[in-house]
Amino acid sequence: EPEVTQTPSHQVTQMGQEVILRCVPISNHLYFYWYRQILGQKVEFLVSFYNNEISEKSEIFDDQFSVERPDGSNFTLKIRSTKLEDSAMYFCASILAEETQYFGPGTRLLVL
Amino acid sequence: AQSVTQLDSQVPVFEEAPVELRCNYSSSVSVYLFWYVQYPNQGLQLLLKYLSGSTLVKGINGFEAEFNKSQTSFHLRKPSVHISDTAEYFCAPGLTGGSYIPTFGRGTSLIVHP
């Protein structure tokens, strides 16, 4: 069964550094999403992406965040200057058209 | 803004017992409703969804949920749980009316004891 993959599974970075989290959505999917889950808290929507542009974003998704689909397979989330509070599990998801989102296994980001 | 309340943070239950995980949401418009499951060290997986039609929705692994519009609830049930059902369960209404983007509750940890 096709699945969403994410790399790396874990990333440790220093505060102020840039990080890029990578996702490979299911190949024929058209809509892409990023979510985050701070330890012990709920999963929060960050951004949705369709047709090479952001379609929706939450208030969490400020100027420090950006997303990109640099080629036909990858979907990336960049955090320009990481803060301690960016430490979280980041999930990527994709869907073909409507309805069921398929989630990746997540990247655990730790900012020191 | 969408508000989701999962009334129980943790639900311990014995194997083969029935279970109900409660969810209430607040929305001034009709929204789609989802339940997701997160097994230990894994990503989120859709259990079931309500888009329209019958208010009783059946999902994977023997789970079902009932949409109650008047009570704005979408409780999840299973008549007989297994050890393997131990996981975190998230109720997730759509972000807005007509949206398939889930807005997650805080989750309920289902712990199944032998």
Side-chain angles (χ1 to χ4, degrees):
Chain A
E1 186 177 329
E3 57 184 18
V4 177
T5 59
Q6 289 184 244
T7 54
S9 58
H10 295 78
Q11 177 142 7
V12 181
T13 190
Q14 295 290 325
M15 190 169 56
Q17 294 296 303
E18 174 183 284
V19 294
I20 296 177
L21 309 182
R22 291 184 168 76
C23 168
V24 179
I26 294 174
S27 62
N28 60 342
H29 284 191
L30 301 174
Y31 297 78
F32 314 109
Y33 306 84
W34 282 103
Y35 296 80
R36 78 171 185 192
Q37 185 180 27
I38 295 171
L39 189 64
Q41 299 187 26
K42 61 183 179 181
V43 177
E44 301 170 292
F45 166 71
L46 292 178
V47 66
S48 62
F49 191 85
Y50 170 71
N51 201 25
N52 282 321
E53 59 183 29
I54 291 172
S55 49
E56 281 187 83
K57 61 181 181 178
S58 71
E59 58 192 26
I60 302 168
F61 193 87
D62 60 22
D63 292 344
Q64 289 298 312
F65 292 90
S66 63
V67 288
E68 195 177 35
R69 189 154 162 81
D71 52 43
S73 60
N74 290 286
F75 178 51
T76 61
L77 174 70
K78 183 193 292 185
I79 309 175
R80 285 186 234 294
S81 177
T82 50
K83 308 183 191 72
L84 296 177
E85 54 266 35
D86 292 328
S87 294
M89 182 75 100
Y90 288 82
F91 293 104
C92 171
S94 71
I95 60 174
L96 173 58
E98 296 175 336
E99 302 185 14
T100 305
Q101 290 189 332
Y102 290 85
F103 282 81
T107 293
R108 185 171 296 283
L109 176 66
L110 178 61
V111 182
L112 300 176
Chain B
Q2 191 61 265
S3 170
V4 183
T5 303
Q6 290 187 244
L7 295 162
D8 306 296
S9 60
Q10 206 171 78
V11 173
V13 65
F14 286 106
E15 196 173 19
E16 297 184 9
V19 70
E20 178 179 82
L21 306 184
R22 296 178 292 170
C23 171
N24 288 88
Y25 65 95
S26 66
S27 176
S28 58
V29 298
S30 295
V31 292
Y32 300 139
L33 297 162
F34 306 88
W35 272 97
Y36 283 82
V37 60
Q38 185 179 26
Y39 297 104
N41 301 312
Q42 293 187 31
L44 293 152
Q45 181 181 2
L46 181 70
L47 263 184
L48 48 79
K49 62 191 176 205
Y50 171 78
L51 304 179
S52 65
S54 172
T55 57
L56 183 64
V57 180
K58 294 191 184 298
I60 62 171
N61 301 340
F63 283 92
E64 62 181 34
E66 184 150 23
F67 166 56
N68 187 317
K69 187 175 181 180
S70 62
Q71 296 183 6
T72 58
S73 68
F74 192 52
H75 301 332
L76 181 71
R77 301 186 187 101
K78 186 169 181 177
S80 176
V81 294
H82 300 129
I83 296 283
S84 58
D85 292 323
T86 295
E88 195 79 15
Y89 291 80
F90 295 93
C91 179
L95 197 61
T96 58
S99 172
Y100 296 98
I101 298 174
T103 305
F104 290 90
R106 291 195 174 276
T108 296
S109 180
L110 175 63
I111 303 168
V112 182
H113 297 288

